[in-house]
Amino acid sequence: MNRFKLLILAIATYASVSFGSEEEFLGWQTLTIKSPERVETGVVTVEATTNALSITKLSIEAFGRKTTLNEAELKKLEGFPLPSCVLTHEAGYAALGGHTVHMKLKRIYYDKHAKNTKTEEIVISVPKAAAARITKRNVP
């Protein structure tokens, strides 16, 4: 009787494994995000284009002006997936440009030397009264 149960279990396992389908992510070629209008930021619009390897074009419109990243700035975004995009805003400090819109991208990867996963975030900050800046940081 035990052999019969083992045979049934083997057949059930084989059937469930061999006939299942696997999902795959659909990559993004372009991204357009448009926020509702806010008194502090106006309408925030993000437009991005990507190829299989990197983000090739990125612009953020906030506070009535458009900021487009140049080639050197886009290079800093390599390895960060566009689908991880999150938009936030904050009041900010006057000395740093005041109210600020942030676009955040995150990546998780395996560090073979440390033998664990690492999480990094890159933030594109667009202040109302200062130039945009890009900050990269490790996330605990």
Side-chain angles (χ1 to χ4, degrees):
M1 189 68 167
N2 286 339
R3 287 184 186 174
F4 180 71
K5 287 181 182 177
L6 186 59
L7 178 63
I8 296 297
L9 180 62
I11 291 171
T13 301
Y14 174 77
S16 66
V17 171
S18 62
F19 298 114
S21 67
E22 291 187 34
E23 286 183 279
E24 291 184 33
F25 287 102
L26 265 173
W28 294 6
Q29 189 172 11
T30 62
L31 170 72
T32 303
I33 299 171
K34 188 173 183 178
S35 78
E37 187 168 3
R38 297 185 56 93
V39 172
E40 306 90 353
T41 62
V43 175
V44 176
T45 304
V46 174
E47 293 180 326
T49 305
T50 185
N51 60 25
L53 302 174
S54 60
I55 298 171
T56 57
K57 181 181 173 188
L58 179 73
S59 65
I60 302 171
E61 186 172 341
F63 311 109
R65 72 176 199 279
K66 189 173 190 175
T67 300
T68 302
L69 299 188
N70 62 37
E71 194 172 321
E73 292 167 326
L74 289 171
K75 188 120 178 100
K76 294 178 183 181
L77 306 182
E78 281 185 3
F80 287 90
L82 197 51
S84 70
C85 176
V86 174
L87 291 178
T88 63
H89 73 100
E90 64 172 318
Y93 296 102
L96 298 175
H99 207 100
T100 303
V101 170
H102 303 283
M103 178 182 167
K104 301 175 184 182
L105 299 169
K106 187 184 291 188
R107 70 175 167 193
I108 301 170
Y109 64 94
Y110 182 74
D111 183 339
K112 64 182 178 182
H113 299 293
K115 296 185 179 177
N116 62 7
T117 57
K118 303 271 184 170
T119 303
E120 290 181 325
E121 184 176 65
I122 197 153
V123 182
I124 302 125
S125 300
V126 180
K128 183 175 186 175
R133 59 188 176 274
I134 298 174
T135 309
K136 186 175 171 183
R137 61 183 178 216
N138 292 322
V139 177

